[in-house]
């Protein structure tokens, strides 16, 4: 079983953050983000580690990690595409764009496609993110451009 | 300092403590108020929304568990309006609930069933699929989890957080895919784990031990006291007798007593019912052979006569008060000294700061109160000059270690016990008697609380009542019922002289101060 | 129609940097603000009628006055940047284009509540905007505006807290729970008006835009703010357009503008020359409005919206044209709520799933007339019996769709498909009743 610890840089970030809150518990979300940035996902070992660092029971970390949509508890493909499915995007052709994206990535296992709820980019609908970076006002050619850089 | 006010509930005025929790107040006054997440020991949570009541002056119904008693409050729990609200909340609780009743152990003591009969009684209008989860997950500690049946009241998680402070359980996930779980790979593992089975209002958490064994409506619940340690936790003995079969105790459940154990009991005590069911040791023996009861009695009486100057009695500190009084009576009749070495009953590892006492002697208080000799070395001194040793279920003599065993080899040993003694060869006579769940009586716990045990089963010929045994063996010179004991012996014992045996409250009686 | 108070610097290149921001007036309100007492500032804000811009529209001054006066306990300002209401994308504009305005607002607001620590909780997806705001905060620390070494008479620390994908964390008590390191479960509400509590100490939660409006009000006075808007809804707001509109975007306007004019003149009208069928005026949680002749009289202020049977919410309008399948639209929204319910209390957790499934069944053509009754009944149960206003919002959404477009639902039930209903043209309609 692997042991999880923060990298020296992440440990430093953690310690800096510790000073900014009245209680280490507040570092729950920041710690989960640091762990996910390290491994690409959050393992049970990482959760136990975080629990000790912020002084809570491990089950609390697990409860939080499963509550928030953006945390992955398992490894995912290296390129994560999130397509917004909520109303404004749906009204602006999200269905077609999603279909196109799926068609373009169907032969590759480098991609994970998720349908997500409103990303706050309603004025730039339809939209997607690629590893967290927003791409708005999508057209099929724009999608080609974005994906072109990867395949 | 109480500050009583008057409130009106369903047009009836009741007295209530100002600022008290309204839900608890309603429950204490016997006013049926369906609820899931509130528990007296765990406090309110406000998530189930089932305890809604109508409060005059408030536009919307309010949850009673987050409302506090104020003078002149006017509450309705039965108006058409609030009944409709309760029905709709219940309907939503049942939307994703699997219809497992035919195979669910909780049937008959399930809050969903109860509340459906109270405020539901509607036809289902669900035509869409239910959320599904994992079923029969072994959580460890004899607890089985069915995530589908869970109503997410969070009582179990709050129990492991605030009561045992072991933090095994929690609600994970979000929305209607939320479920109760442990940390991946971890188990439910603490000495009070099985209490979650009781506090779970539905069949999500059930006892593996009790699983599929018995329908609850076939059982009788007898209030009694656990004899596992000096805490004296209050329990229910759930038992029944099937046709043509022996009576069986199926389980213990905690019985609420705010003065002793609150709402819970420890797992070891809970599972100790199995010992009560054991039918391994019964009847009468001499050395290693079974002998006839009459023969055993006559042998005993001969011994008592011949060894009358050289007899010592050892009794267990877990005997009931009446049994102790009876042995005292016997000791006077035959002129023997009584000993009760207590050291061996100490169990530091077992004791904790929740319920478990580090003292396994359930009735030590009485032993001390009656000034029975508890010192081991005094016992040994007396043992040397004795010829007949009569043991009433004391651990030390049932299972003596080498040194003591050697000393006992030269003595005439008689045992009155619930379980078989180790050295059968050295046992001149062995009488089996019925353990506590077969008899009624009283004990006093370590805090000086006098409590009543009630007989769930009945003594049999092979496992008679100890009082009866002593009565016969003594040539009928001792009392043989509880009533007689209290009238004759107990009255003369200072600590019990002012007790009315027939009027001991269900929650026991505090006897001025601990006597350890 | 466009007003530039909060959005004043949005079009200035690099106005997010301290130098450019300062050249254009950033932090000019600080002197006047810090020379007043905290009580005076609260009075100005109260007089200005500033209302919360996170969807609730509650008077900000009243909220601030719930904070205890200076005490031994730490006080906290918590800024709500969780912006997750579908149709809403205004707060990110402030983070991106004028972060120093927000910092300035935070300093003044924190001063008014005797707080020396401020947190801004920003939704996890807004990584770009978080980084942008962090740079501005770093600049402010460098320049001794923020922090221990601040040259100001009121020292403030600002810490950015990144969310991780939970709409419910926009509810102010759920936000604080999340900030305390827990699941975003809204708290039970107190019996009497009280401030919020962060680890047991007094805190106030305000929306990003609300705080960003504070510098203008404090510098120019309550009356200056009241020049704009209506009597009960004074001032301006960052309104947004999205959906089937030609010019989607965020536009600052005074309250009280005509919704139809907003759509036609600023928004450029419905895309592809189609007719307007429906508008969700203030973010998904506001009841949908039908584009009939009454719509011409609906103004973008809290009171008018309420009389129209809806709510101004976050001011993020979603435009739907004549071809929109309203049953699909409702399904889309209910899926959102189903996904985002925190699951704490029964009516919301179970109800949000059930109503989603019922509308799904309607869309699949397998529902019956009684299912519409069930749908409305469940909506009723979800209203007024929960810990927070999430479920009541879902209830209002369902009722709005059924009130205005019931026919389409019935068509699905009887014919199993979308039947397009005729839509009136209201592009040129104007309000026949006199304005209040």
């Amino acid at each position: 079983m692997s042991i999880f610890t923060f990298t020296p840089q992440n440990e430093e970030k953690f310690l800096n953050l510790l000073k900014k809150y009245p209680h280490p518990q507040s570092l729950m979300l920041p710690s989960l983000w640091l762990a996910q940035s390290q491994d690409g996902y959050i393992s049970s070992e990482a959760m136990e580690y975080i629990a000790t660092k912020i002084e809570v029971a491990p089950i609390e970390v697990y409860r939080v990690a499963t509550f928030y949509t953006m945390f992955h508890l398992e490894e995912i493909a290296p390129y994560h595409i999130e397509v917004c499915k909520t109303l404004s995007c749906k009204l602006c052709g999200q269905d077609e764009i999603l279909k196109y994206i799926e068609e373009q990535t169907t032969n590759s296992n480098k991609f994970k496609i998720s349908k997500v709820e409103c990303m706050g980019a309603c004025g730039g609908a339809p939209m997607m993110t690629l590893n967290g970076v927003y791409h708005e006002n999508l057209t099929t050619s724009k999608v080609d451009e974005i994906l072109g850089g990867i395949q | 300092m109480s500050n009583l006010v008057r409130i009106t509930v369903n047009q009836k005025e009741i007295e209530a403590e100002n600022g008290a929790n309204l839900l608890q107040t309603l429950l204490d006054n016997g006013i049926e108020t369906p609820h899931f997440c509130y528990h007296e020991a765990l406090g309110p949570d406000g998530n189930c929304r089932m305890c809604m009541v109508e409060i005059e002056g408030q536009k919307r119904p309010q949850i009673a568990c987050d409302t506090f008693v104020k003078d002149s409050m006017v509450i309705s729990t039965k108006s058409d309006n609030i009944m409709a609200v309760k029905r709709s909340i219940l309907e939503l609780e049942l939307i994703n609930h699997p219809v497992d009743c035919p195979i669910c152990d909780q049937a008959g003591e399930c809050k969903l069933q109860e509340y459906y009969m109270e405020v539901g009684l509607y036809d289902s209008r669900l035509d869409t699929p239910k959320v599904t989860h994992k079923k029969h997950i072994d959580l460890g500690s004899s607890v089985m989890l069915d995530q589908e049946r869970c109503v997410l009241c969070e009582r179990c998680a709050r129990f492991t957080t605030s009561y045992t402070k072991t933090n095994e359980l929690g609600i994970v996930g979000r929305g209607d895919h939320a479920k109760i779980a442990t940390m991946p790979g971890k188990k439910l593992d603490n000495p009070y784990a099985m209490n979650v089975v009781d506090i779970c209002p539905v069949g999500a958490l059930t006892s593996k031990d009790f699983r599929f064994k018995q329908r609850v409506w076939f059982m009788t619940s007898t209030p009694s006291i656990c004899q596992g340690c000096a805490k004296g936790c209050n329990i229910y003995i759930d038992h029944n007798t099937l046709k043509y079969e022996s009576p069986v105790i199926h389980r213990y459940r905690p019985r609420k007593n705010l003065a002793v154990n609150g709402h819970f009991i420890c797992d070891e005590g809970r599972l100790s019912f199995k010992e009560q069911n054991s039918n391994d040791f019964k009847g009468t023996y001499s050395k290693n052979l079974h002998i006839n009861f009459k023969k055993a009695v006559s042998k005993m009486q001969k011994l008592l006569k011949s060894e009358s100057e050289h007899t010592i009695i050892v009794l267990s500190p877990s005997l009931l008060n009446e049994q102790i009084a009876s042995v005292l009576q016997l000791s006077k009749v035959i002129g023997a000294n009584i000993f009760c070495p207590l050291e061996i009953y100490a169990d530091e590892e077992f004791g904790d700061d929740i319920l478990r006492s580090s003292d396994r002697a359930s009735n030590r208080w009485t032993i001390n109160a009656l000034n029975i000799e508890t010192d081991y070395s005094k016992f040994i001194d007396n043992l040397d000059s004795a010829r007949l040793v009569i043991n009433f279920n004391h651990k030390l003599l049932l299972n003596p270690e080498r040194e003591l065993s050697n000393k006992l080899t030269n003595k005439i040993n008689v045992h009155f016990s619930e379980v078989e003694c180790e050295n059968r060869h050295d046992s001149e006579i062995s009488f089996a008697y019925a353990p506590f769940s077969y008899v009624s009586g009283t004990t006093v716990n370590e805090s000086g609380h006098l409590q009543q045990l009630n007989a769930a089963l009945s003594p049999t010929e092979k496992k008679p009542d100890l009082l009866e045994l002593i009565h016969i063996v003594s040539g009928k010179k001792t009392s043989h019922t509880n009533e007689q004991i209290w009238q004759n012996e107990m009255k003369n014992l200072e600590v019990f002289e002012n007790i009315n045996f027939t009027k001991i409250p269900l929650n026991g009686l505090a006897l001025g101060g601990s006597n350890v | 129609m466009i007003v530039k108070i909060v959005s004043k610097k949005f079009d200035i290149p690099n106005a997010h940097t301290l130098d450019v921001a300062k050249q254009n007036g950033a932090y000019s309100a600080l002197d006047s603000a810090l020379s007043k007492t905290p009580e005076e500032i609260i009075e100005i804000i109260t007089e200005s009628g500033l209302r919360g811009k996170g969807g609730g529209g509650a008077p900000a001054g009243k909220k601030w006055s719930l904070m205890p006066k200076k005490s031994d306990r730490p006080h906290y300002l918590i800024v709500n940047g969780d912006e997750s209401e579908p149709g809403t994308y205004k707060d990110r504009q402030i983070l991106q284009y004028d972060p120093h305005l927000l910092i300035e607002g935070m300093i003044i607001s924190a001063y008014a509540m005797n707080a020396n620590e401020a947190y801004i909780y920003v939704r996890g997806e807004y990584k770009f905007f978080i980084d942008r705001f962090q740079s501005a905060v770093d600049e402010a620390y460098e320049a001794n505006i923020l922090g221990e070494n601040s040259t100001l008479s009121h020292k403030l620390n600002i810490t950015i807290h990144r969310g991780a994908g939970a709409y419910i964390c926009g509810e102010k008590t759920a936000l604080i729970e999340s900030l305390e390191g827990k699941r975003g479960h809204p708290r039970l509400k107190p019996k009497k008006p009280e401030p919020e509590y962060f680890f047991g100490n007094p805190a106030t939660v305000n929306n990003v835009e609300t705080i960003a409006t504070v510098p203008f009000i404090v510098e120019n006075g309550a009356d200056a703010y009241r020049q704009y808007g209506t009597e009960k809804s004074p001032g301006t707001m960052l309104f947004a357009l999205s959906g089937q509109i030609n010019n989607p975007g965020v536009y600052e306007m005074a309250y009280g503008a005509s919704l139809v004019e907003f759509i036609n003149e600023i928004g450029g009208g419905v895309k592809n020359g189609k007719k307007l069928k429906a508008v969700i005026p203030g973010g998904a949680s506001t009841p949908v409005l039908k584009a009939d002749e009454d719509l011409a009289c609906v103004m973008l202020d809290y009171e008018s919206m309420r009389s129209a049977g809806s709510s101004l919410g976050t001011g993020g309008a979603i435009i739907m044209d004549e071809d929109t399948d309203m049953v699909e639209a409702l399904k889309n929204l209910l899926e959102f709520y189903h996904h985002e319910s925190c699951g704490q209390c029964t009516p919301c957790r179970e109800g949000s799933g059930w109503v989603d499934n019922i509308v799904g069944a309607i869309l699949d053509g397998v529902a019956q007339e009684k299912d519409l009754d069930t749908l409305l009944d469940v909506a009723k149960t979800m209203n007024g019996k929960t810990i927070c206003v999430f479920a009541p919002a879902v209830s209002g959404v369902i009722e709005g769709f059924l009130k205005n477009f019931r026919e389409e639902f019935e068509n699905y039930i009887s014919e199993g498909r979308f039947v397009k209903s005729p839509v009136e043209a209201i592009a040129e309609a104007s309000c026949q009743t006199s304005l209040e």
Side-chain angles (χ1 to χ4, degrees), chain B residues 46-49 52 60 66 88-89 91-93 95-96 125-128 151-152 171-176, chain C residues 165-166 183 191 338-347 349-350 353-354 357 370 377 381 384-387:
Chain B
N47 68 59
C48 72
R49 318 306 286 180
M52 294 210 133
R60 299 201 200 102
D66 189 41
S88 60
I89 305 279
E91 182 180 29
L92 287 175
E93 288 278 16
I95 279 306
N96 284 310
R125 34 184 192 172
L126 181 73
D127 285 324
T128 47
V151 292
L152 294 166
I171 295 181
V172 305
R174 190 169 84 192
D176 63 5
Chain C
R183 290 158 64 94
K191 311 293 176 197
H338 183 187
H339 191 229
E340 297 292 343
S341 168
C342 77
Q344 204 189 170
C345 60
T346 309
R349 175 184 71 240
E350 309 295 344
W354 195 10
N357 288 341
K370 66 175 175 70
D377 207 29
T381 306
K385 299 172 196 81
T386 49
I387 296 175

Side-chain angles (χ1 to χ4, degrees), chain C residues 256-334:
Chain C
S258 153
L259 173 60
V260 170
E261 264 180 56
F262 179 42
I263 293 170
N264 290 333
E265 291 177 30
I266 309 287
V270 180
K271 255 191 333 207
N272 303 321
K274 302 275 178 136
K275 295 197 215 122
L276 179 69
K277 179 173 183 179
V279 186
I280 295 177
S285 300
T286 56
V288 67
L289 293 171
K290 192 171 184 175
D292 56 20
E293 66 227 1
D294 291 334
L295 196 67
C297 292
V298 176
M299 305 297 152
L300 289 166
D301 63 66
Y302 296 97
E303 289 61 45
S304 178
M305 278 295 168
R306 174 126 32 93
S307 330
S310 186
S311 162
L312 189 60
T314 56
I318 305 175
I319 308 303
M320 284 164 276
D321 73 18
E322 59 191 279
D323 292 331
T324 307
D325 180 342
M326 297 311 279
V327 181
E328 252 188 42
L330 178 59
K331 175 76 168 78
N332 183 287
L333 292 177
L334 294 182

Side-chain angles (χ1 to χ4, degrees), chain B residues 111-125:
Chain B
K111 292 303 178 191
L112 283 172
Q113 286 183 340
E114 261 177 56
Y115 300 155
Y116 179 80
M117 296 312 288
E118 255 174 60
V119 306
L121 295 173
Y122 57 85
D123 289 326
S124 168
R125 34 184 192 172

Side-chain angles (χ1 to χ4, degrees), chain B residues 142-195:
Chain B
S142 231
V143 177
M144 200 66 115
L145 167 64
D146 185 314
Q147 288 173 333
E148 276 182 8
R149 297 178 188 166
C150 176
V151 292
L152 294 166
C153 68
E154 215 171 9
R155 277 183 177 182
C156 57
R158 283 146 57 207
F159 177 79
T160 64
T161 304
S162 61
Y163 190 79
T164 60
K165 302 190 172 40
T166 46
N167 300 298
E168 296 102 318
L169 296 173
I171 295 181
V172 305
R174 190 169 84 192
D176 63 5
H177 284 80
K179 55 198 177 193
I180 281 284
T182 55
M183 199 62 191
K186 292 284 191 319
K187 295 272 178 207
L188 181 61
D189 183 15
N190 67 69
Y192 298 86
M194 292 181 80
N195 285 296

Side-chain angles (χ1 to χ4, degrees), chain C residues 130-412:
Chain C
I130 290 172
D131 290 343
R132 177 61 71 93
F133 188 67
Q134 183 67 61
S135 307
V137 167
D138 291 341
E139 285 184 309
Y141 270 94
E142 271 284 314
N144 293 330
I145 298 171
L146 291 173
E148 283 306 300
N149 300 324
S150 167
T151 50
L152 299 173
S153 60
H154 185 79
K155 300 196 198 303
L156 180 68
N157 276 317
I158 293 181
T159 306
I160 305 174
H161 199 89
R162 185 181 180 196
Y167 164 80
I168 192 61
C169 286
E171 201 272 358
K172 61 181 187 232
T173 61
L175 191 155
I176 301 184
E177 288 284 295
S178 186
L179 199 56
E180 289 185 359
K182 298 178 262 180
R183 290 158 64 94
H185 285 185
R187 296 173 174 171
L188 294 174
K189 304 301 177 267
K191 311 293 176 197
K192 296 193 290 265
E194 272 179 18
E196 307 305 330
Y197 292 100
F198 176 54
F199 286 120
N201 287 313
T204 294
V205 181
N206 275 125
N207 173 261
V208 162
E209 190 190 341
T210 312
I211 299 298
T213 312
V214 167
F216 175 87
I217 298 175
V218 171
E219 188 172 16
N220 299 293
D223 288 336
Y225 195 62
R226 282 193 166 275
Q227 293 296 317
Y228 305 93
T230 71
E231 160 85 44
K232 296 212 180 100
S233 303
T236 65
M237 185 168 187
L238 294 174
F239 292 95
L241 285 168
S242 66
Q244 276 135 355
I245 191 84
N246 278 318
N247 304 332
V250 173
Y251 307 99
E252 186 174 7
M253 296 189 301
Y255 287 103
S258 153
L259 173 60
V260 170
E261 264 180 56
F262 179 42
I263 293 170
N264 290 333
E265 291 177 30
I266 309 287
V270 180
K271 255 191 333 207
N272 303 321
K274 302 275 178 136
K275 295 197 215 122
L276 179 69
K277 179 173 183 179
V279 186
I280 295 177
S285 300
T286 56
V288 67
L289 293 171
K290 192 171 184 175
D292 56 20
E293 66 227 1
D294 291 334
L295 196 67
C297 292
V298 176
M299 305 297 152
L300 289 166
D301 63 66
Y302 296 97
E303 289 61 45
S304 178
M305 278 295 168
R306 174 126 32 93
S307 330
S310 186
S311 162
L312 189 60
T314 56
I318 305 175
I319 308 303
M320 284 164 276
D321 73 18
E322 59 191 279
D323 292 331
T324 307
D325 180 342
M326 297 311 279
V327 181
E328 252 188 42
L330 178 59
K331 175 76 168 78
N332 183 287
L333 292 177
L334 294 182
E335 272 175 25
F336 170 79
Y337 291 111
H338 183 187
H339 191 229
E340 297 292 343
S341 168
C342 77
Q344 204 189 170
C345 60
T346 309
C348 180
R349 175 184 71 240
E350 309 295 344
S352 64
W354 195 10
V355 297
D356 182 15
N357 288 341
I358 294 176
V359 178
I362 294 174
L363 268 181
D364 288 341
V366 296
Q368 300 170 314
E369 183 70 32
K370 66 175 175 70
D371 293 320
L372 282 183
D373 296 327
T374 306
L375 184 61
L376 285 169
D377 207 29
V378 180
K380 215 171 109 194
T381 306
M382 289 174 77
N383 192 9
K385 299 172 196 81
T386 49
I387 296 175
C388 78
V389 298
F390 181 103
V394 180
S395 178
V397 166
I398 294 171
E399 284 171 359
F401 270 81
L402 251 59
K403 180 174 100 182
N404 291 305
F405 301 101
R406 191 179 176 112
E407 219 177 87
E408 287 190 39
F409 290 83
E410 286 175 342
N411 285 334
Y412 260 100

Side-chain angles (χ1 to χ4, degrees), chain B residues 44-288:
Chain B
D45 206 42
N47 68 59
C48 72
R49 318 306 286 180
M50 196 66 216
C51 66
M52 294 210 133
V53 296
E54 229 169 41
I55 302 179
E56 201 179 85
Q58 301 245 29
K59 204 168 53 169
R60 299 201 200 102
Q62 302 293 321
I63 48 174
C65 67
D66 189 41
T67 304
F68 303 96
V69 169
K70 269 207 293 249
D71 193 25
S72 312
M73 240 177 175
V74 178
I75 315 275
S76 169
T77 69
K78 293 212 175 104
S79 72
D80 287 340
N81 207 12
I82 201 68
M83 289 298 279
V85 167
K86 291 197 271 198
R87 191 175 307 124
S88 60
I89 305 279
L90 183 67
E91 182 180 29
L92 287 175
E93 288 278 16
L94 286 165
I95 279 306
N96 284 310
H97 191 81
V99 189
D100 277 357
C101 299
I103 57 163
C104 176
D105 287 313
Q106 197 83 6
E109 51 185 19
C110 169
K111 292 303 178 191
L112 283 172
Q113 286 183 340
E114 261 177 56
Y115 300 155
Y116 179 80
M117 296 312 288
E118 255 174 60
V119 306
L121 295 173
Y122 57 85
D123 289 326
S124 168
R125 34 184 192 172
L126 181 73
D127 285 324
T128 47
K130 299 192 179 218
V131 173
T132 57
H133 284 305
K134 285 220 200 95
K135 301 175 84 71
H136 55 84
I137 300 169
D138 186 341
L139 284 184
S141 298
S142 231
V143 177
M144 200 66 115
L145 167 64
D146 185 314
Q147 288 173 333
E148 276 182 8
R149 297 178 188 166
C150 176
V151 292
L152 294 166
C153 68
E154 215 171 9
R155 277 183 177 182
C156 57
R158 283 146 57 207
F159 177 79
T160 64
T161 304
S162 61
Y163 190 79
T164 60
K165 302 190 172 40
T166 46
N167 300 298
E168 296 102 318
L169 296 173
I171 295 181
V172 305
R174 190 169 84 192
D176 63 5
H177 284 80
K179 55 198 177 193
I180 281 284
T182 55
M183 199 62 191
K186 292 284 191 319
K187 295 272 178 207
L188 181 61
D189 183 15
N190 67 69
Y192 298 86
M194 292 181 80
N195 285 296
V196 300
V197 169
D198 301 318
I199 62 180
C200 178
V202 301
L205 290 167
T206 51
S207 161
K208 255 181 89 174
D209 182 73
F210 183 65
R211 189 171 170 78
F212 301 151
K213 294 243 174 82
Q214 189 61 236
R215 280 310 198 184
V216 305
W217 52 84
F218 291 135
M219 297 193 296
T220 308
S221 283
T222 303
S224 188
I225 308 290
C226 173
Q227 298 296 297
C229 75
K231 186 70 183 183
C233 294
N234 288 214
I235 56 175
Y236 284 112
I237 302 178
D238 287 349
H239 58 98
N240 69 357
T241 313
L242 295 179
K243 217 170 180 181
Y244 310 127
E245 311 228 343
S246 314
V248 177
I249 298 175
H250 290 288
R251 61 179 187 184
Y252 287 164
R253 285 179 301 125
R255 179 162 58 95
K256 169 178 155 184
N257 187 334
L258 296 178
V260 181
N261 56 306
H263 298 77
F264 308 116
I265 55 177
C266 74
D267 286 2
E268 193 177 303
R270 178 188 294 263
L271 292 174
S272 65
F273 74 89
K274 297 183 203 236
E275 296 152 20
Q276 304 285 306
N277 278 334
S278 165
N279 238 348
D280 293 340
F281 180 58
K282 52 185 189 266
T284 40
Y285 289 80
S286 176
K287 305 281 184 180
N288 215 358

